[in-house]
Amino acid sequence: MNLNIIGYFIYLIITAFIILIVGKICYKNGNIYVAELLPNHTTLCQKINQILLLAYSLLNIGYCAMTLISWEKIFSTNQLIEVIAIKTAAIAFILSALHYINIIAITRYIKKLIK
């Protein structure tokens, strides 16, 4: 049995779940931040938020696909669990870092507009 194929499958299920849930939450709550940037333009704000969701999804899907290339041959279930945990932790860390960078950038931009 090829443990790499099993690992790919498990990893893709976990990361797809994380990407979809986080994307849905950010899309739903992101309208508030985008509306702050462009008051009185609700249609434009929704379109911008949709584009941000698309870019988020494409970036993360691309990262996950590129991650699969770097996997070495897996020989044991312990190694399988370790690789999946490390790869999943990396995607979670990257998502959280990108989220905080976006929040900081938007907050600074709004503060600059208010002054």
Side-chain angles (χ1 to χ4, degrees):
M1 177 186 333
N2 190 346
L3 290 177
N4 278 61
I5 302 299
I6 295 170
Y8 296 158
F9 185 68
I10 294 169
Y11 172 73
L12 289 175
I13 288 173
I14 292 170
T15 55
F17 179 75
I18 291 171
I19 290 169
L20 291 174
I21 295 299
V22 172
K24 183 178 179 180
I25 291 168
C26 289
Y27 176 75
K28 187 173 131 182
N29 297 326
N31 280 325
I32 297 167
Y33 292 105
V34 177
E36 286 285 327
L37 296 174
L38 300 167
N40 303 323
H41 296 349
T42 55
T43 307
L44 181 61
C45 290
Q46 289 174 347
K47 295 296 179 191
I48 290 172
N49 205 21
Q50 289 172 351
I51 291 170
L52 288 171
L53 178 63
L54 177 66
Y56 161 85
S57 299
L58 290 175
L59 174 75
N60 287 300
I61 290 168
Y63 175 79
C64 289
M66 293 298 291
T67 299
L68 294 177
I69 295 170
S70 68
W71 283 32
E72 296 178 10
K73 182 92 170 127
I74 298 173
F75 296 104
S76 67
T77 54
N78 289 343
Q79 188 183 10
L80 174 68
I81 293 169
E82 182 180 321
V83 168
I84 291 172
I86 290 170
K87 301 292 184 180
T88 305
I91 189 81
F93 176 75
I94 290 170
L95 284 175
S96 62
L98 287 174
H99 174 70
Y100 283 113
I101 290 169
N102 284 336
I103 295 297
I104 290 168
I106 290 171
T107 304
R108 285 186 180 172
Y109 184 74
I110 291 172
K111 285 182 181 178
K112 189 186 264 188
L113 288 176
I114 293 173
K115 287 183 183 181

